[in-house]
Amino acid sequence: MALPSHAQIVVIGGGIIGCSTAYHLARDHKADVILLEQGKLTSGSTWHAAGLVGQLRSSASITRVLKYSVELYKGLEAETGLATGWKMTGCLRLATNQDRWTEYKRLATTAKSFGMDMQLVSPEEVKRMWPLMDTSDLVGASWLPTDGQASPSDITQSLAKGARMHGAKLFENVRVTGFEMKDGRILKVKTDQGDVSCDKVVNCAGQWARQVGAMAGINVPLQPVKHQYIITEKLPGLATDAPTLRDPDRRTYFKEEVGGLVMGGYEPNPQGWTTGDVPNDWEFRLFDDDFDHFEQHMMQAIERVPGLADVGVKQMINGPESFTPDGNFILGAAPECSNMFVGAGFNAFGIASGGGAGWVLAQWVVDGEAPLDLWVVDIRRFSGLHRDRQWVSDRTLEAYGKHYTIGYPHEEYASGRPYIVSPLYERLKAHRAVFGSKLGWERPNWFAPEGMEPKDVYAMGRQNWFGPVGDEHRHVREAVGVFDQSSFAKYEMTGKDAQRALDFICANDVSKPTGRLTYTQLLNTRGGIEADLTVARLADDKFYIVTGTGFRTHDLAWISDHIPTGWDAKLVDVTEQFGTLSLMGPNARKVLEAVTSADVSNAAFPFGHVREITIAGATVRALRVTYVGELGWELHVPIEATGEVFDALMAAGAAHDIRPIGYRALESLRLEKGYRAWGSDITPNDTPFEAGLGWAVKLKKETDFLGRKALEKLGDAPLTKQLACFTVDDKEVVLVGRETILRDGQPVGYLTSGGYGYTVGKNIGFGYVRNAGGVDDAFLTKGSYELVVAMERVPAKIHLEPLFDPAATRVKA
């Protein structure tokens, strides 16, 4: 079959992800799709994958993607006639200590929140299910009966056949050599067998995805890591339907295969392959066996399954797997190129993810936007930092080493730090700051009092910063604090059509006069919330846009992508040009008055306004806005003057009891005030009306805006879910999010975020209450509520108003 000269969509890579994407494009969308594989199908990483299929992740959407994989694999053989090797054996995860057991109790709660039945079982039950195992050190195990295993090559061939049955054309031994591009778009895919002009390209090239992306100027931050496992001879007494086994405290996994065991693991000292290019001819190839490096897994495995000591090793597999710096895979529209999509970096979850990733990626390619909240895997979560190959390698190897470690709440990565620091870094260090890292930026999470080591000590219960953060929280409520938020992403939009473009892109009304600012969501075509930011009007044709640190690439690309063609509206990223100091608390005005000659009275500088004022000789953009529920300003300072302005605030603020405050206190303050966080409380799955943000949508104006049609279509129909606030009085309880919400004993949703409110003295959580028959305030207040926290039911109260309001009686809990 000759290579066609044109196709609607070209998929690059014939592993499980590429074949699944081609299958779904052809089956669901009847797309004209061709797939190009430089060698043979599965010849990269797929053929040597271990084939474990787990489903539970901490994101509801990603869990849904993995559940879809299982459903697809169950029925694929019936459709294509090719077996997939799918076996629903269930999966046991072993726990040998109390922290791991707490993690499993939280996982089991999350599973139930997501509609999956994960059970916690005793060591005796584990022994019954897996008799060859030594269970003497176990506290217990989690059991997910719907997990299983599959044959990676068989699934891929079955998907490939299905793709062909639905009209896709698959070509082996065709190497992509480059792209013909114009104005940031791919016009043609160049290959060693001719060019293919196309509308869209999907880069599913596995460990070559970085190189394929680079040909189009796209960064795909992957690092191939050597991953070893063995296949043993037959193990006497091993059942053919033995559950797959994950033994994270010993960093190993097991699955039955032809009467023997597949056993591998995730070591703390992994071996990266290359930070350069992966050889093109790396087809069906492995590294040499490395028993010295693998010995650490072998010793742990024999202690768990003593019979392994007497069984021969049939084969050792030592192959490269693509890993990412945060352990999540990569999907979506590349920000640097308007018609390349990426599906890569599956962190040894490629077989479990393959079916579902192909399903959502195909939908994304066709619609131009994600069909679900896929933020945790979105390629736009990365930034320029991730072009640093050594940084990506160091961070990825750290993430690999943490694959089976206990997932403590609020845990920070240590590698590649510090990378980006604000001008205040040394000053804040002198104040005993304990830093966290966000998109490469060092940011103060909390400040250690004298006599306490400035360091996080991770725990499943209250962590060592709980008391000091409470002091910072109270300080902002009672006096004044200054937050270093220089890492905020900041853009400027200029041009005669700037207002018109923002009118279309923003759900709220940004057409206010110069000197005003607007809090707004950006919506997708489903009416879901794609971004949440502030827009300040500096002049008729100039706007200043501020959003969260982690959303820098995503929000810039979203806005850029939706400026209508031919309009005079230019968007520029100015993040590094401005430091940001947030001055918050009842004494904030007194401090500001002492450092500027500008009139900052409420009459001259009301809430929701922006002014240029002078502090310490610098021209500062002052935004009267708050995320903590107190009087305050965001001061956007020319980056080189940030230190001097901070010093001036600290000197003038000494009389008003000023102190620097960290991000952990910011989180507890915003929970009390009921402010929503994008990525958790509000996502592309949620509309402003469901989130209680309908007041920020300009439906009463005639202006057309993105998402308007979807919201109008919903009309006056009752909401089927609504965000609400919950409190728990018991101080011993720790809320971290994804706890199940029970209404009158029945599950109705789960928490999207959780924490502690020091002013109200209670645990606080936000979550959507769902009811197919409709949810309104009467429905919400009529119910009696409990939260399931680590499998324990605790009484909870529901609140429809913010718990804290400084303008009223201050506390409403």
Side-chain angles (χ1 to χ4, degrees), residues 280-298:
N280 283 330
D281 61 355
W282 194 269
E283 182 186 347
F284 293 120
R285 280 174 63 184
L286 296 170
F287 304 111
D288 293 338
D289 297 347
D290 188 345
F291 277 101
D292 289 346
H293 192 73
F294 194 72
E295 186 184 14
Q296 56 189 310
H297 296 315
M298 204 70 222

Side-chain angles (χ1 to χ4, degrees), residues 576-588:
E576 273 80 12
Q577 292 178 31
F578 294 91
T580 305
L581 300 174
S582 292
L583 183 70
M584 301 283 157
N587 293 346

